[in-house]
Amino acid sequence: MPLPTELCRLPNFRSRFRGAVAPVVAALAALALAGCSSIGGMFGDDTQKGGTTQYPCPQVGVLQGTDHITLVRGAGTDPRDVMAKAEIGRVTSRCEYNLSDSTITVDIAFDGIAELGPAATSRDLVLDTFVAVTRRYNAFDNKKVYQVPVTFEPGMNRMRFVKTVDGTVIPYGGEADGRIYQILIGFQLTQQQLDYNRTVPYTPIR
């Protein structure tokens, strides 16, 4: 489903999570630190690590209006109709330049949390998320949908998840570099789910 043009703005984003998220944050921090480290000889002379002034990475963030999803039964007009909801938290990325091929390879990781609602009929949940590449002030270049399975352990109504998407390759050349790109992530919403997000106030999962 094409994404509405009015949503194609990259907002400032911060994690909602506080406190006991050490395993998730540690995994994301490891990826972020790897993106800032200097490269070793294993990559050869034609590869350069991004995240520097000379080799900047594309900006990565969550597309406005798609940072959360609510799965409902029927019209979902009653809070008791909620089957599950989920939200995206932290996002991090790293990139590498292939100077000989004039391409940038971007690896992305994001975390989130899901919660079962009163109308839940299963403890297994599959969330559709997307990664979309766009040039600044232009239309989407490409977009791919990725599934995130979530299984709620016995006695647990909230579960955190981490998704990694490796190997997004984008071209560059001339005076252009990673700064001309934005990479946006979010939940792949149906039109009904998008309308629900726009009209029903969302209470973040605590």
Side-chain angles (χ1 to χ4, degrees):
M1 181 186 72
L3 293 169
T5 55
E6 65 267 25
L7 292 182
C8 299
R9 302 191 301 275
L10 183 66
N12 293 327
F13 60 95
R14 295 178 296 177
S15 171
R16 299 186 183 87
F17 304 147
R18 298 291 186 272
V21 293
V24 171
V25 174
L28 294 167
L31 177 57
L33 290 173
C36 296
S37 62
S38 60
I39 62 173
M42 61 179 291
F43 294 113
D45 294 336
D46 62 345
T47 304
Q48 293 291 336
K49 188 73 69 176
T52 66
T53 301
Q54 186 175 3
Y55 298 102
C57 290
Q59 189 176 10
V60 177
V62 182
L63 185 65
Q64 182 177 343
T66 68
D67 62 332
H68 65 276
I69 184 172
T70 304
L71 305 177
V72 299
R73 177 181 57 190
T77 55
D78 191 298
R80 292 171 294 182
D81 293 333
V82 174
M83 296 186 294
K85 62 180 183 179
E87 59 194 39
I88 293 173
R90 294 177 182 266
V91 184
T92 189
S93 65
R94 65 182 179 186
C95 73
E96 291 178 357
Y97 280 69
N98 188 313
L99 305 183
S100 60
D101 291 345
S102 297
T103 59
I104 308 170
T105 299
V106 185
D107 298 332
I108 299 168
F110 59 90
D111 70 356
I113 187 169
E115 180 181 66
L116 289 179
T121 58
S122 173
R123 301 191 67 81
D124 295 317
L125 183 65
V126 177
L127 303 170
D128 286 335
T129 63
F130 68 83
V131 174
V133 179
T134 179
R135 291 176 183 265
R136 292 186 185 277
Y137 317 115
N138 206 339
F140 284 103
D141 283 354
N142 61 71
K143 170 186 167 187
K144 292 184 178 180
V145 176
Y146 299 90
Q147 290 188 329
V148 179
V150 180
T151 297
F152 292 85
E153 298 175 0
M156 300 289 292
N157 287 334
R158 294 179 182 176
M159 294 296 297
R160 290 184 170 85
F161 59 85
V162 175
K163 177 64 177 176
T164 60
V165 178
D166 295 332
T168 297
V169 179
I170 52 180
Y172 77 96
E175 296 181 358
D177 55 35
R179 289 172 294 188
I180 69 171
Y181 289 103
Q182 290 178 337
I183 299 180
L184 305 175
I185 70 166
F187 288 110
Q188 177 71 12
L189 304 176
T190 65
Q191 187 61 53
Q192 181 181 6
Q193 291 165 343
L194 184 59
D195 292 341
Y196 188 93
N197 280 6
R198 288 170 169 169
T199 57
V200 179
Y202 180 74
T203 301
I205 301 171
R206 302 295 183 184

